[in-house]
Amino acid sequence: MVHSAYDSFELISDCPTKIEAIEAYGPKLLLGCSDGSLKIYAPDSSSSDRSPPSDYHAHKLHQEPYALERNLSGFSKKPLVSMEVLESRELLLSLSESIAFHGLPNLGTIAVITKAKGANVYSWDDRRGFLCFARQKRVCIFRHDGGRGFVEVKEFGVPDVVKSMSWCGENICIGIRREYMILNSTNGALSEVFPSGRLAPPLVVSLPSGELLLGKDNIGVFVDQNGKLLQEGRVCWSEAPNVVVIQKPYAIALLPRYVEVRSLRAPYPLIQTVVLRNARRILQSNNSVIVALDNAVYGLFPVPLGAQIVQLTASGDFEEALALCKLLPPEEASLRAAKEGSIHMRYAHHLFDNGAYEDAMEHFLASQVDITYVLSLYSSIVLPKTTMVSEPEKLMDISGDSSHLSRGSSGISDDMEPSTPLHLLESEESAALESKKMSHNTLMALIKFLQKKRYGIIEKATAEGTEEVVLDAVGNNFASYESNNRFKRSNKGRGSIPVTSGAREMAAILDTALLQALILTGQASVALELLKGLNYCDVKICEEILQKNNHHTALLELYRCNSMHHEALKLLHQLVEDSKSNQVQTELIQKLKPESIVEYLKPLCGTEPMLVLEYSMLVLESCPTQTIELFLNGNIPADLVNSYLKQHAPNMQATYLELMLAMDENGISGNLQNEMVHIYLSEVLDWHADLSAQQKWDEQTYSSTRKKLLSALESISGYNPEPLLRRLPTDALYEERAILLGKMNQHELALSLYVHKLHVPELALSYCDRVYESLIHQQSSRSSGNIYLTLLQIYLNPRRTTKNFEKRITNLVSPQNIGTPKVGSANTVKSKGGRGNKKIAAIEVADDIRVGQSSTDSSRSDGDADESSEEGGSTIMLDEVLDLLSRKWDRINGAQALKLLPRETKLQNLLPFMGPLLRKSSEAYRNLSVIKSLRQSQR
């Protein structure tokens, strides 16, 4: 876009002789004329200035008329073709019939390179002091020796006459009639670049970066020092230029009819045209561009950058204005930042209003504007209330007046042109604009803007939160903590943190807006990831929009990260229930299962055990194993769980205790074991009562619960058997009674039940084996075999043991057993005959239950045995006796067993018992004899 980059000023208007060459030296102009003279012009204001010549180069051209100061006639025999001031060496290089060097400022001849006679073009490398020139089809290289002479270095042949040339690093780029070539200054090797134009002669221009601009008719092509094309576009001049000079940030070309100024930044737009007819030469000086006509000289003086920036901004060329801002000097850094921010803001609004939303957000981002300013463009985005006082954003007017841009909460931007005030917008246009601003593209651009701003804001907010926690820990709280109107929120991993700082308020605004934009653009998965990480979303606002759009998963995460577990679990339970009836979205059905509640509760076991118990009741029946694993892995006290289940889910109490016992047998206390057994017994008693009422009871019938009860009674040791024994009916459940009596060491009573009530001798024998082995493990081998003698006595005296059984049962269990409340059940147990609640009678002393004192006394006479046998009469269980003796001969005291046997027992029937017993006794006797002999021999 065209603007005034240079102001044209006529420096010399009436040169009497045609100007052939021009150069600037400090504030003065050197003109090489057609008559071979050299004319020196100086500003009118300094014509009387006689400052030392050495100070001249420190000055710049003046924007004022120049007057002739000195005329050197006969400076050259022929008109000068070109000349150049070598400031670092205080020399003037001139090309005429040859190349000559004159000292400055006196212009005395220093050297003349005679070999350059006939040269038409040259190039000077000031860094190395190298001169190259071309004459006909030869290229010569000379080096300045630092004094008054020059030394020839190389001479190379080239294919054609050189029209233009320039140093490019260590090489030389030459333009001949048909093409451009790179000449290696060391060995003379030539490499082709590309053909030159057909309409205009070759033109080689060196750039400050070391690269080259090569002319091809009206197109300028960029190449590097090796001649390789650079992908930076092309400069398209209006016509083929004669000369091009570079003065950053512009390239100035001398065209036949005018001077054209273009930007050096792609796409190299036209900046300005300066009409100067018959211009012959153009030259870059320190602070300007000099254009020589036939008899006049014009200076193109750069317009101050600030003024150019104002022009560009006013005309809407924001990119070029920003590029010029970067050229402001370092000492104007604050001004530069202000101008850039203002331009970015204007450019952002321009792009936003024209539908380039993403580009607009990039410029809002570059302007460092507060996010609330950008969010004010989106009136449908609800922001949390803050304690911050937001002032209207003011833009510095880069033209210097007091105008500024502001944005209200309506979301309608001011037009960039002051001629279109906001109040002229019609209501329909406002509605259309609002609809456009809330479209998908605008929100997508906003999301990218917020995501780019988010890292820095969240980092500051987190740092402030951490600092406050540390200060609070050491007792150095800020006074703001006591404010009654603090902006509070809770967040994941931080609990409740008061948001009193600007950074955290800004973080809350950003995250809340970002979540809304993500939801409105259908990016629910991204919104979910936002909530799973560290975030400052406002709960109330985000909850409302998530509920409105049915984003249940994100809403759950919002509740979770803000420790709103009650709300989360209620929602989760509702979704699980709805999923059973397919009332929720299809994609959620696979995710929403009862196990989802268990998974949610897992992290809460350590901090919210009662909450876990409350909501675990909702899924205990549907997934009991996972729920009880939750209780166990979460280290929730088992007594607490059991108590809660007893009150709220009594039907699952047994299941919990069963699974807990299966998972961790040592982890269940005696109380809980006792509780579980009572629960089983209550169910079994109810079952027995029902069958008895129907007269269908059978002692050999086993329900699943009765099997559990028997297994628990047998395998668990932590319960108290006495209360359980009192609850049993007197005429049923003998197997349970036998196990309980065994737990109370009432072995004779237990064995009597197995033999006389259950009529299962195998169970009695298994019982004896268990007692025997337990006593062996307790290293009580002397009395361990008595249990078999007890069973033997029961077999031999069935009538006496039956009477004894009934008598001792009467002592153990009171005749009235009033129904004891069942554990884990709402009903009470009622059995035949009733059951009292009196305490268990004192257990008889050990000599009443130990056979060794009652039936195995070694002093007992045969008559006593006869009495016993006679008492038993024909009911003696001789077959069971003989079977017991033959199978357990190694565990029974043989002498005591023989005393108990009736006299009529045949010896032949005792062979299975006596044979191995005698062999073992004989072997033991022999072993003892050998040991005795060995001990005697050692003496």
Side-chain angles (χ1 to χ4, degrees):
M1 193 171 291
V2 177
H3 75 278
S4 296
Y6 290 91
D7 288 332
S8 175
F9 186 83
E10 187 177 26
L11 301 176
I12 301 174
S13 60
D14 55 352
C15 182
T17 312
K18 185 178 180 180
I19 302 170
E20 298 290 345
I22 188 170
E23 180 60 294
Y25 177 53
K28 297 188 177 184
L29 292 174
L30 309 179
L31 275 59
C33 299
S34 59
D35 59 358
S37 64
L38 179 67
K39 301 182 185 298
I40 302 175
Y41 282 79
D44 277 345
S45 61
S46 61
S47 59
S48 60
D49 186 8
R50 297 295 180 231
S51 299
S54 59
D55 292 337
Y56 284 2
H57 69 277
H59 301 283
K60 300 178 181 179
L61 289 179
H62 295 186
Q63 191 172 351
E64 59 179 283
Y66 274 61
L68 180 63
E69 180 184 81
R70 183 180 176 190
N71 183 23
L72 299 177
S73 300
F75 182 77
S76 62
K77 293 181 179 180
K78 293 184 178 181
L80 293 176
V81 177
S82 63
M83 56 182 171
E84 180 177 351
V85 171
L86 312 179
E87 291 188 3
S88 63
R89 290 171 168 78
E90 291 292 333
L91 295 175
L92 174 65
L93 184 160
S94 61
L95 172 61
S96 180
E97 59 181 353
S98 63
I99 295 177
F101 290 87
H102 299 80
L104 291 172
N106 297 321
L107 297 174
T109 302
I110 300 298
V112 177
I113 301 177
T114 56
K115 197 170 184 178
K117 187 174 182 180
N120 63 313
V121 63
Y122 73 90
S123 179
W124 170 257
D125 183 353
D126 193 64
R127 179 178 63 84
R128 298 185 300 161
F130 273 51
L131 171 71
C132 67
F133 58 86
R135 57 183 179 84
Q136 297 179 356
K137 297 183 180 182
R138 308 293 292 178
V139 172
C140 300
I141 302 175
F142 281 73
R143 184 185 74 249
H144 184 214
D145 64 1
R148 299 175 63 87
F150 285 80
V151 178
E152 183 176 359
V153 179
K154 296 284 185 180
E155 181 177 354
F156 303 109
V158 292
D160 206 340
V161 176
V162 178
K163 300 294 185 179
S164 179
M165 67 190 312
S166 177
W167 284 100
C168 52
E170 305 294 326
N171 301 324
I172 305 170
C173 181
I174 59 174
I176 57 179
R177 183 178 302 176
R178 296 183 178 178
E179 62 184 333
Y180 293 100
M181 308 185 78
I182 298 295
L183 173 66
N184 188 310
S185 63
T186 303
N187 55 25
L190 290 168
S191 58
E192 297 181 358
V193 180
F194 57 78
S196 59
R198 296 181 179 180
L199 303 178
L203 178 62
V204 181
V205 181
S206 178
L207 301 177
S209 61
E211 298 163 350
L212 298 172
L213 177 65
L214 306 182
K216 189 171 185 178
D217 294 332
N218 68 321
I219 297 175
V221 181
F222 293 95
V223 298
D224 63 12
Q225 294 183 355
N226 298 315
K228 293 183 179 180
L229 293 176
L230 299 176
Q231 300 300 321
E232 296 182 358
R234 305 289 184 267
V235 181
C236 295
W237 308 102
S238 302
E239 299 179 44
N242 298 324
V243 185
V244 175
V245 295
I246 305 298
Q247 189 175 56
K248 274 194 169 184
Y250 303 120
I252 302 98
L254 179 62
L255 306 183
R257 295 176 295 172
Y258 48 83
V259 175
E260 186 169 287
V261 181
R262 287 188 175 269
S263 172
L264 280 175
R265 191 178 58 83
Y268 314 105
L270 174 65
I271 301 299
Q272 183 181 2
T273 56
V274 181
V275 178
L276 292 173
R277 296 188 179 278
N278 301 319
R280 298 172 54 83
R281 297 287 185 269
I282 188 168
L283 170 71
Q284 176 193 359
S285 70
N286 289 333
N287 66 320
S288 61
V289 175
I290 305 168
V291 182
L293 282 65
D294 286 340
N295 299 98
V297 176
Y298 283 82
L300 303 181
F301 294 90
V303 174
L305 288 177
Q308 292 189 56
I309 292 170
V310 170
Q311 294 180 52
L312 291 168
T313 305
S315 61
D317 194 355
F318 302 104
E319 292 284 355
E320 196 66 32
L322 290 170
L324 290 184
C325 284
K326 298 184 184 302
L327 299 178
L328 290 172
E331 57 269 18
E332 298 182 13
S334 59
L335 176 62
R336 169 182 167 178
K339 286 182 177 294
E340 285 183 333
S342 175
I343 296 170
H344 279 300
M345 288 285 288
R346 289 177 177 269
Y347 196 12
H349 281 287
H350 172 78
L351 292 170
F352 192 88
D353 292 340
N354 286 277
Y357 306 113
E358 290 194 15
D359 293 337
M361 293 302 160
E362 289 296 328
H363 287 282
F364 277 130
L365 192 67
S367 71
Q368 299 296 320
V369 67
D370 192 276
I371 61 171
T372 55
Y373 182 91
V374 177
L375 290 172
S376 67
L377 299 174
Y378 297 80
S379 61
S380 296
I381 298 292
V382 182
L383 302 181
K385 296 180 180 179
T386 70
T387 59
M388 298 172 60
V389 179
S390 57
E391 298 181 357
E393 294 287 341
K394 295 185 178 181
L395 301 179
M396 173 182 290
D397 189 340
I398 54 180
S399 63
D401 59 21
S402 60
S403 64
H404 65 272
L405 294 176
S406 63
R407 294 293 179 270
S409 59
S410 64
I412 302 176
S413 61
D414 295 335
D415 196 290
M416 292 297 99
E417 296 294 334
S419 60
T420 310
L422 181 64
H423 66 273
L424 295 180
L425 291 173
E426 299 293 337
S427 59
E428 293 82 1
E429 294 176 352
S430 299
L433 182 61
E434 182 61 30
S435 175
K436 177 181 70 174
K437 289 182 179 179
M438 290 309 298
S439 70
H440 180 83
N441 292 339
T442 58
L443 290 171
M444 288 298 295
L446 177 64
I447 289 170
K448 292 181 179 180
F449 169 78
L450 295 176
Q451 287 174 336
K452 290 179 181 178
K453 295 283 287 186
R454 188 172 188 271
Y455 176 79
I457 292 176
I458 296 298
E459 188 177 37
K460 290 180 181 179
T462 305
E464 288 183 355
T466 303
E467 181 181 358
E468 290 185 3
V469 170
V470 172
L471 292 175
D472 185 52
V474 297
N476 186 18
N477 297 332
F478 291 112
S480 60
Y481 273 48
E482 301 174 358
S483 176
N484 294 326
N485 58 349
R486 292 179 297 181
F487 179 66
K488 294 186 177 181
R489 68 174 306 281
S490 58
N491 207 340
K492 189 173 188 178
R494 299 196 307 273
S496 295
I497 296 180
V499 182
T500 58
S501 68
R504 278 176 290 172
E505 288 191 358
M506 194 63 66
I509 292 172
L510 188 150
D511 279 350
T512 304
L514 179 57
L515 181 72
Q516 293 177 73
L518 290 171
I519 294 299
L520 292 173
T521 54
Q523 301 183 73
S525 59
V526 183
L528 182 61
E529 291 301 317
L530 171 66
L531 292 170
K532 286 183 177 180
L534 177 66
N535 70 86
Y536 289 80
C537 292
D538 182 89
V539 177
K540 184 176 180 181
I541 295 173
C542 295
E543 179 185 29
E544 182 177 348
I545 189 171
L546 292 174
Q547 288 176 342
K548 180 179 179 181
N549 292 273
N550 294 321
H551 290 288
H552 305 298
T553 306
L555 182 58
L556 282 172
E557 195 58 44
L558 176 69
Y559 288 147
R560 186 203 303 267
C561 70
N562 287 280
S563 300
M564 300 172 64
H565 303 303
H566 278 286
E567 291 80 358
L569 288 164
K570 287 179 183 177
L571 174 62
L572 187 56
H573 176 61
Q574 183 62 44
L575 294 175
V576 170
E577 293 300 314
D578 292 344
S579 67
K580 296 177 182 178
S581 57
N582 296 328
Q583 294 181 11
V584 295
Q585 302 170 5
T586 306
E587 59 270 16
L588 288 178
I589 293 178
Q590 298 298 328
K591 300 179 181 179
L592 296 176
K593 298 179 180 179
E595 290 82 354
S596 303
I597 297 179
V598 177
E599 289 298 319
Y600 187 97
L601 292 172
K602 282 182 179 179
L604 305 179
C605 291
T607 57
E608 301 277 355
M610 295 308 297
L611 180 70
V612 173
L613 290 174
E614 177 184 350
Y615 284 94
S616 63
M617 297 301 102
L618 303 175
V619 294
L620 184 58
E621 292 188 17
S622 57
C623 46
T625 304
Q626 296 92 324
T627 306
I628 294 170
E629 285 179 354
L630 171 70
F631 297 151
L632 292 175
N633 298 333
N635 295 322
I636 300 178
D639 291 327
L640 177 63
V641 176
N642 181 67
S643 175
Y644 199 89
L645 288 174
K646 179 186 285 188
Q647 182 178 358
H648 296 90
N651 59 322
M652 293 303 297
Q653 189 179 5
T655 305
Y656 163 68
L657 294 173
E658 287 173 5
L659 292 173
M660 184 175 181
L661 183 64
M663 294 177 183
D664 186 8
E665 185 174 355
N666 298 324
I668 184 168
S669 65
N671 291 335
L672 295 181
Q673 293 180 19
N674 197 61
E675 188 99 10
M676 184 173 69
V677 174
H678 274 279
I679 293 172
Y680 287 155
L681 180 57
S682 297
E683 294 183 13
V684 170
L685 290 175
D686 288 341
W687 172 67
H688 165 262
D690 292 340
L691 291 181
S692 297
Q694 302 173 23
Q695 296 183 353
K696 295 181 180 180
W697 171 253
D698 184 358
E699 192 68 32
Q700 302 301 320
T701 303
Y702 296 92
S703 66
S704 60
T705 305
R706 189 182 182 194
K707 291 178 182 179
K708 292 180 182 180
L709 174 62
L710 291 171
S711 176
L713 291 175
E714 189 122 357
S715 60
I716 295 176
S717 59
Y719 63 87
N720 184 1
E722 297 178 12
L724 295 168
L725 189 62
R726 286 186 303 168
R727 298 182 62 190
L728 293 176
T730 57
D731 59 346
L733 303 177
Y734 296 118
E735 190 171 351
E736 288 82 347
R737 185 183 297 277
I739 296 174
L740 292 172
L741 289 171
K743 294 289 184 178
M744 299 168 63
N745 291 326
Q746 298 290 332
H747 304 307
E748 184 178 0
L749 295 178
L751 290 171
S752 297
L753 286 172
Y754 285 125
V755 173
H756 299 307
K757 293 295 184 180
L758 296 173
H759 308 291
V760 186
E762 283 299 325
L763 290 178
L765 185 58
S766 298
Y767 179 88
C768 293
D769 290 340
R770 290 196 299 273
V771 174
Y772 177 86
E773 291 169 2
S774 65
L775 293 174
I776 287 293
H777 293 154
Q778 296 173 13
Q779 298 180 352
S780 179
S781 58
R782 175 166 182 163
S783 60
S784 61
N786 291 340
I787 187 64
Y788 293 101
L789 294 176
T790 302
L791 179 58
L792 188 63
Q793 185 184 24
I794 292 172
Y795 285 154
L796 293 173
N797 302 284
R799 182 175 298 174
R800 196 188 90 176
T801 55
T802 301
K803 292 180 178 180
N804 189 28
F805 162 76
E806 293 173 352
K807 176 182 178 182
R808 294 172 66 179
I809 285 295
T810 301
N811 293 332
L812 283 171
V813 183
S814 58
Q816 292 184 350
N817 191 3
I818 300 174
T820 305
K822 294 189 297 184
V823 179
S825 174
N827 300 323
T828 58
V829 177
K830 295 182 180 180
S831 59
K832 285 187 176 182
R835 292 184 296 276
N837 58 357
K838 296 182 179 180
K839 294 183 178 180
I840 298 177
I843 301 175
E844 294 180 350
V845 294
D847 49 271
D848 288 334
I849 64 172
R850 292 184 180 275
V851 177
Q853 301 270 339
S854 63
S855 63
T856 62
D857 191 348
S858 61
S859 63
R860 175 177 175 169
S861 63
D862 293 339
D864 296 332
D866 292 342
E867 282 184 21
S868 298
S869 299
E870 289 172 2
E871 185 180 353
S874 59
T875 59
I876 187 171
M877 303 172 68
L878 186 59
D879 291 339
E880 285 78 2
V881 170
L882 295 176
D883 182 66
L884 174 62
L885 291 173
S886 63
R887 293 171 64 178
K888 303 298 178 182
W889 61 267
D890 57 336
R891 297 185 176 187
I892 299 175
N893 188 307
Q896 295 178 2
L898 290 174
K899 290 180 180 181
L900 293 174
L901 292 175
R903 285 188 174 187
E904 62 271 17
T905 303
K906 296 180 180 180
L907 185 60
Q908 183 180 0
N909 294 337
L910 295 175
L911 286 178
F913 168 65
M914 297 295 295
L917 181 61
L918 290 175
R919 284 192 295 272
K920 181 179 179 182
S921 299
S922 299
E923 183 180 353
Y925 178 76
R926 286 194 301 271
N927 291 340
L928 289 174
S929 299
V930 171
I931 293 172
K932 183 177 181 181
S933 300
L934 290 174
R935 288 178 176 174
Q936 289 177 351
S937 65
Q938 290 177 355
R939 293 178 181 177

